[in-house]
Amino acid sequence: MSDTVNNNKKRALSCVQPSGVLTLGNYLGALKNFKAMQDDFECLFAVADLHAITVRQQPANLRAQIYATYALFLAIGLDPDKSTLFIQSHVKEHAALSWLLSCNTQFGEMARMTQFKDKSAKHADNINVGLFSYPVLMAADILLYTPDFVPVGADQKQHLEIARDIAIRFNNNYGDVFKVPEPYIPTKCARVMSLQNPAQKMSKSDENQNAFVSLLDDTDTIIRKFKRAVTDSDNRIICSDDKPGITNLIGIYGAVCGKTNKEVEEEFEGKGYGDFKLAVGETVANELAPIKANYDKYISDKAELERLFRDGAEKARYLANKTYRKAMKKVGFVI
Ligand code: TRP
């Protein structure tokens, strides 16, 4: 098994929570980039199901979302022969290492986390201890696999920073166990904003269905959502702080086609908003159509999904267990 991981490529790891349907924002901000990384890095990607229960989940719904997220990994082109694709809870070392790390993390450090503050304001009736210590579990996810790089969006940078602090502290206290990972900031990565309120991030939990594009929306729905996208009353297709709607559409189009904002502006010079919105809608729809078709195929074959995620877990466990045992031993446990 070790020959799958024994090469000279740098290692990268990232995880995606199985909470709700993934959006164009998740795709252009992270998933498309994961696919591009597969050839240059030795990659591990996990469905972070343990993280999902920091907010209340319906069991049947959670189960369905775990399958759906794994199927989407495959549908966007993550290849189980190139990358290790697994489900976090299948590798028990994540929860186990998070205990060791918890005892080496200060209360004050966690209390500063902005996501905790946001989420506890949003879920005031369920400010559980897991929500509070979530970044420690995320640190365990990362440190178990000694990755060189962790591709994350801007909203996860603070958590990655804590993972680095925890690793450095642990290594100082007990001797070298963990690699201190670097954030990986992809060159072509878009921060996709809501189509209805471009001041806000595109979010699957938006009450307005027209504000986000699901990766599983059909072509007509996608085109309709782009036609309805909020823009301004001027008619020039240029990026500008006072044109957040058009700037967002330019970013989306550029991220899908691999073009810079400037190239997109030139391509649509002299064209009107109607033409531009339609072009963005069609381009996104064309990009997502094969993903949806692949998804439908993978999600309908549960046995194959299970075979793949069991295999992925086995590969992940091999690496995780090595690091976990080393950490336990250094702390003084008898193993
Ligand atoms: N917390 C991340 C998010 O909500 C998901 C995540 C969990 C993660 N563990 C991770 C991301 C490890 C990178 C590495 O998006």
Side-chain angles (χ1 to χ4, degrees):
M1 196 159 327
S2 58
D3 51 356
T4 55
V5 295
N6 186 11
N7 55 38
N8 293 324
K9 288 180 183 169
K10 297 274 190 197
R11 186 177 294 165
L13 167 130
S14 198
C15 308
V16 176
Q17 284 201 57
S19 41
V21 60
L22 294 171
T23 68
L24 183 66
N26 299 114
Y27 178 67
L28 295 179
L31 295 167
K32 189 171 159 74
N33 175 51
F34 290 176
K35 183 184 174 203
M37 291 177 77
Q38 282 189 117
D39 294 319
D40 300 332
F41 298 90
E42 180 210 323
C43 293
L44 296 112
F45 298 116
V47 177
D49 56 346
L50 295 173
H51 277 93
I53 63 162
T54 52
V55 299
R56 215 164 274 130
Q57 303 281 344
Q58 295 289 341
N61 202 23
L62 176 63
R63 194 172 299 119
Q65 287 302 338
I66 294 169
Y67 277 96
T69 308
Y70 195 91
L72 263 174
F73 276 7
L74 299 168
I76 61 152
L78 299 185
D79 178 349
D81 290 329
K82 285 186 193 161
S83 303
T84 300
L85 309 177
F86 67 104
I87 294 173
Q88 179 191 30
S89 65
H90 290 182
V91 182
K92 305 224 173 6
E93 284 78 358
H94 290 244
L97 182 66
S98 97
W99 176 250
L100 289 197
L101 301 183
S102 291
C103 298
N104 287 277
T105 304
Q106 299 305 303
F107 188 90
E109 287 178 296
M110 291 295 101
R112 282 194 282 109
M113 297 290 109
T114 54
Q115 186 173 310
F116 171 68
K117 292 185 202 162
D118 292 349
K119 285 206 177 171
S120 47
K122 224 165 125 189
H123 304 276
D125 59 334
N126 184 20
I127 306 178
N128 62 77
V129 177
L131 187 66
F132 184 71
S133 63
Y134 166 121
V136 181
L137 178 59
M138 178 161 160
D141 298 341
I142 296 168
L143 301 179
L144 279 173
Y145 299 96
T146 60
D148 300 282
F149 295 106
V150 180
V152 284
D155 62 326
Q156 294 298 320
K157 281 229 191 89
Q158 198 184 27
H159 292 163
L160 182 58
E161 204 45 55
I162 276 288
R164 288 167 48 90
D165 291 346
I166 295 172
I168 292 167
R169 184 176 318 136
F170 192 102
N171 288 347
N172 284 341
N173 288 344
Y174 300 107
D176 246 9
V177 177
F178 301 122
K179 185 172 241 168
V180 182
E182 299 292 332
Y184 180 78
I185 312 297
T187 45
K188 271 246 153 304
C189 205
R191 185 168 146 80
V192 178
M193 310 307 282
S194 157
L195 298 183
Q196 293 296 315
N197 176 5
Q200 279 175 10
K201 216 174 115 173
M202 181 179 281
S203 163
K204 57 199 162 204
S205 47
D206 205 306
E207 279 162 25
N208 184 347
Q209 295 283 319
N210 286 323
F212 64 90
V213 173
S214 154
L215 291 187
L216 302 178
D217 278 345
D218 60 34
T219 297
D220 290 348
T221 307
I222 295 171
I223 292 176
R224 182 169 43 77
K225 287 181 176 178
F226 278 100
K227 277 191 183 156
R228 291 190 184 165
V230 168
T231 47
D232 51 68
S233 54
D234 173 68
N235 212 20
R236 284 169 314 144
I237 299 162
I238 51 167
C239 288
S240 159
D241 285 347
D242 57 359
K243 294 166 73 67
I246 284 293
T247 302
N248 186 34
L249 298 184
I250 291 174
I252 291 172
Y253 184 83
V256 175
C257 303
K259 289 183 178 160
T260 63
N261 290 346
K262 200 154 179 41
E263 285 166 340
V264 180
E265 288 173 359
E266 280 166 14
E267 186 178 336
F268 289 95
E269 208 182 322
K271 297 251 168 62
Y273 281 0
D275 289 344
F276 179 55
K277 285 185 185 177
L278 182 64
V280 181
E282 284 176 343
T283 304
V284 170
N286 284 341
E287 174 95 357
L288 299 188
I291 294 178
K292 181 165 161 41
N294 285 339
Y295 173 83
D296 290 344
K297 188 184 72 187
Y298 285 116
I299 202 68
S300 63
D301 189 351
K302 290 261 155 67
E304 175 65 359
L305 278 180
E306 284 163 10
R307 187 186 71 76
L308 291 173
F309 64 55
R310 292 219 169 90
D311 193 50
E314 202 178 314
K315 288 191 208 156
R317 200 174 292 126
Y318 172 83
L319 295 174
N321 189 256
K322 266 204 314 208
T323 311
Y324 176 67
R325 288 175 64 87
K326 203 163 153 191
M328 288 289 282
K329 215 161 154 181
K330 292 276 193 194
V331 176
F333 287 102
V334 178
I335 57 166

